Amino acid sequence: ARAEIYTLALPDARPISRAIADACLQRGVIVLGGGPKRNVLSLTPPITITQRQLNYALMVIEETVRADGQVSRPLAAARDGR
């Protein structure tokens, strides 16, 4: 079986709050917190994810993390494959 795992380390070392994971889940996106400082978001989308679905997931994550005050620049580069 093939799988993809993506991680996003947040710029400051604050732990990923349960609220971020819960807010993403309410919008249909599952993220997990991890890393030694708990400042890493992990995503494991299905191998068959479409670009549209990936863009939606990244938008949800960006909006949720921004609302929590943990990121200051857009994740558009990730959405655009940069």
Side-chain angles (χ1 to χ4, degrees), residues 7 21 27 45 62 64 78 80:
T7 59
R27 294 178 66 186
E62 180 175 4
T64 303
D80 296 339

Side-chain angles (χ1 to χ4, degrees), residues 8 23-24 27 29 31 41 43 51-67 71 74-76 78-80:
L8 172 65
C24 286
R27 294 178 66 186
V29 177
V31 296
L41 290 177
L43 305 119
Q51 186 65 47
R52 183 177 177 189
Q53 292 167 326
L54 181 59
N55 287 345
Y56 174 77
L58 290 173
M59 178 192 70
V60 167
I61 293 166
E62 180 175 4
E63 289 174 357
T64 303
V65 172
R66 279 181 179 274
V71 88
L75 301 178
R79 275 199 303 270
D80 296 339

